[in-house]
Amino acid sequence: MHTAKGQATMFIMIGLVILLVVSMVIYFSTMNMETNGTLAEIESLEQAATAVEECIDDFMVDSFYEVGMYGGYTGTMAAFSSFETPYELVTIEIMEQNLKIHLERNVRDCDNVLEGTKFEVPSNGKPIADVELGEKVMLSMESIGNVQQINDPGMKQGITSRSEKVNVNFIEVYGIVEELTASEYGVLVKEYDGYIVNAFMDGGYTEQLARLYHPDTKFTFRITKEIIGIEHIAQ
């Protein structure tokens, strides 16, 4: 009886080991196929240029959302509070300039989508971006040059200028954030149609994070309020 039980246990363990090995083989094979598939899709200059252009489009929009997360700055710029946002709400013009600088400095990262292919994007001077944070957000980037074949630079394809419109009413967002942070004693939590407002206190009760979220566009704006006299908040 004990021998039969022991054999059954051994067979179960062997089965589990085999299942684990098969699962790992399938997983790594899938990962390899996905990587090779991505590179295999870029076989022509047109496909290479399209890959770079799509990357630029995504980069511009993602960077705008990043500016909201960091209170008018980007993650590569200096943060001022423990929540990684400034204490003061800067003007829309400064936010536009911050985003413009970020786009122009980092758009070349999109060259990396061609890594491992037979194409490249040679440096072509400083890229020029334009940013308008209004009732609609308008983002644009001038052409960053050409995609060329590495072993035959004469074979090239132009990268078109890019533009993106984001349906976030930034004027409205800015006005709400101004009102939320108007009190010197902390964040004023109110209800605003179409938005969700949250406030979070740091562990030392010296900073309060205001978070404004718009569910329809998934846009978040965060800014920190430095608390003067915590006893006033409890009153």
Side-chain angles (χ1 to χ4, degrees), residues 8-234:
T9 302
M10 182 179 65
F11 286 138
I12 291 173
M13 292 178 64
I14 292 173
L16 290 174
V17 171
I18 293 173
L19 180 62
L20 177 62
V21 171
V22 171
S23 299
M24 291 178 65
V25 170
I26 293 174
Y27 172 77
F28 286 111
S29 297
T30 302
M31 291 293 291
N32 189 51
M33 288 174 61
E34 288 178 354
T35 302
N36 291 336
T38 301
L39 297 179
E41 291 174 0
I42 303 178
E43 297 179 341
S44 68
L45 284 167
E46 291 78 9
Q47 290 171 332
T50 297
V52 175
E53 290 166 355
E54 290 177 350
C55 175
I56 294 173
D57 293 345
D58 292 341
F59 166 66
M60 290 193 297
V61 174
D62 290 346
S63 296
F64 164 66
Y65 275 76
E66 186 176 338
V67 163
M69 288 296 294
Y70 291 96
Y73 294 82
T74 67
T76 58
M77 297 177 175
F80 306 99
S81 75
S82 62
F83 293 108
E84 298 186 327
T85 73
Y87 291 119
E88 300 294 333
L89 183 63
V90 297
T91 65
I92 291 179
E93 290 73 19
I94 291 177
M95 294 185 193
E96 289 175 335
Q97 186 64 20
N98 289 340
L99 181 51
K100 173 180 167 66
I101 291 171
H102 176 76
L103 293 176
E104 293 175 349
R105 284 180 178 173
N106 297 284
V107 67
R108 285 290 178 182
D109 289 348
C110 282
D111 300 358
N112 296 333
V113 300
L114 301 181
E115 187 174 347
T117 73
K118 58 184 177 180
F119 306 103
E120 63 180 359
V121 181
S123 180
N124 187 36
K126 179 184 176 182
I128 303 298
D130 188 57
V131 175
E132 181 182 344
L133 304 180
E135 293 183 354
K136 302 287 184 184
V137 173
M138 305 300 297
L139 311 168
S140 64
M141 177 70 67
E142 290 186 4
S143 172
I144 63 171
N146 300 304
V147 172
Q148 68 182 33
Q149 196 162 313
I150 295 175
N151 60 0
D152 186 0
M155 298 288 292
K156 60 182 64 177
Q157 171 83 22
I159 298 170
T160 62
S161 298
R162 312 304 300 166
S163 62
E164 286 288 318
K165 180 175 73 172
V166 185
N167 291 319
V168 171
N169 187 338
F170 199 80
I171 302 298
E172 184 175 68
V173 168
Y174 191 86
I176 294 173
V177 173
E178 275 189 312
E179 186 172 344
L180 290 176
T181 57
S183 171
E184 66 175 310
Y185 301 124
V187 175
L188 178 64
V189 178
K190 294 176 58 178
E191 290 188 3
Y192 295 90
D193 188 35
Y195 294 89
I196 298 173
V197 177
N198 301 112
F200 306 92
M201 191 74 72
D202 75 324
Y205 294 96
T206 59
E207 298 175 343
Q208 193 174 22
L209 177 71
R211 176 183 179 269
L212 180 69
Y213 177 65
H214 188 245
D216 290 348
T217 59
K218 295 181 171 57
F219 180 73
T220 298
F221 193 96
R222 306 185 319 144
I223 192 166
T224 303
K225 187 73 179 176
E226 194 170 21
I227 304 303
I228 301 175
I230 188 64
E231 68 277 0
H232 293 288
I233 299 177

